[in-house]
Amino acid sequence: AHQLTSGSGIWWFDMWGGWYDDPCLMAEIARMKRIYDGEITEKSEKPLPRVAFFADEAAYANHYINSPELLAIEKTRTEMGTVGAAFDFLLVEDTDALYDGYAAAVFPFPYPSEAGKRAMRLCDELGIPYLTANGDSPVIGASKVREFLHENGIHLYTEDGSVIYAGRGYVALHSAVGGEKVIHLPTVQRVTPVFGANIAENLTDTVVFELEANGTALFKLQSV
């Protein structure tokens, strides 16, 4: 789901273990490839994530190993995944990407590098509101991020702690907890289930479906 919604590839090292020597796994990979190539419908660039979550690799040098601030960065990253908003990961060096329609940003590093500081200054210049960690509050919790996104008009697909991916004509939800799930779309769309949910294709802005624990459901979206 992440690859489909972000248009990215993932490299995996087999570790000499023959992990790919499995007919079920290869069939699954082939099915994902057919979906990616447009087996369902034509490709689309929308919806596009409007939130940028920044990685600042050089900032790690500002912390000692296993420091509370360093551990807080990973905690914030995990919290961000449960917010219910679609977002992109960006390196602080990739600030040119800020021109691509982002409406909010999150900087999880309490003590940013010089490149991180430049990225924040660019957000100020472009009028992009951002949330940042600091030494007193190194962890940015999911509730704080949701409040920040609400204040800045960012759409939330769900607020139940599920993981959301949205982009390039797809939306997906993953949850560790089974039961009824609801995805709130920004607008009415033609929603076609691809896998993980047993519902009929329909026109809606609210997708309701049952999901097994630790399951993922993927839907194709078409504007109407």
Side-chain angles (χ1 to χ4, degrees):
H2 172 71
Q3 287 174 266
L4 289 167
T5 55
S6 65
S8 66
I10 294 178
W11 178 86
W12 188 263
F13 178 38
D14 193 38
M15 294 170 36
W16 303 284
W19 292 7
Y20 292 120
D21 188 18
D22 183 295
C24 292
L25 175 60
M26 295 310 295
E28 183 72 3
I29 291 174
R31 186 162 71 104
M32 295 298 99
K33 182 65 166 59
R34 287 195 297 271
I35 293 170
Y36 189 82
D37 287 341
E39 181 184 61
I40 307 302
T41 55
E42 70 279 0
K43 293 181 177 68
S44 170
E45 292 301 308
K46 296 180 179 181
L48 292 173
R50 302 183 65 228
V51 180
F53 185 80
F54 277 97
D56 188 346
E57 293 180 311
Y60 277 95
N62 295 332
H63 307 276
Y64 63 87
I65 294 175
N66 292 329
S67 69
E69 294 83 4
L70 198 61
L71 297 175
I73 296 167
E74 298 305 313
K75 176 64 174 175
T76 296
R77 183 178 62 82
T78 301
E79 289 284 301
M80 189 71 190
T82 67
V83 165
F87 62 93
D88 285 333
F89 277 104
L90 295 179
L91 292 172
V92 290
E93 292 83 1
D94 294 336
T95 50
D96 287 346
L98 284 173
Y99 292 98
D100 291 336
Y102 293 106
V106 178
F107 293 88
F109 287 78
Y111 302 102
S113 68
E114 288 305 312
K117 294 175 183 177
R118 285 196 298 273
M120 292 179 192
R121 288 197 296 269
L122 182 58
C123 284
D124 288 329
E125 292 172 12
L126 296 174
I128 300 173
Y130 59 87
L131 194 60
T132 182
N134 57 61
D136 295 328
S137 301
V139 176
I140 307 176
S143 60
K144 185 174 182 179
V145 178
R146 287 194 195 101
E147 181 181 358
F148 165 71
L149 297 181
H150 273 304
E151 291 174 352
N152 290 284
I154 302 300
H155 178 77
L156 297 183
Y157 291 82
T158 182
E159 296 189 44
D160 69 356
S162 299
V163 176
I164 284 287
Y165 293 117
R168 300 180 184 274
Y170 293 94
V171 64
L173 181 147
H174 172 82
S175 179
V177 180
E180 184 179 271
K181 303 298 172 182
V182 180
I183 300 176
H184 300 284
L185 302 176
T187 60
V188 172
Q189 301 275 311
R190 183 179 300 279
V191 178
T192 303
V194 180
F195 63 75
N198 184 24
I199 63 171
E201 178 182 300
N202 65 107
L203 299 177
T204 186
D205 61 359
T206 305
V207 188
V208 182
F209 58 97
E210 293 291 326
L211 187 69
E212 295 182 356
N214 299 310
T216 301
L218 176 73
F219 305 90
K220 180 69 181 178
L221 305 178
Q222 287 178 286
S223 299
V224 294

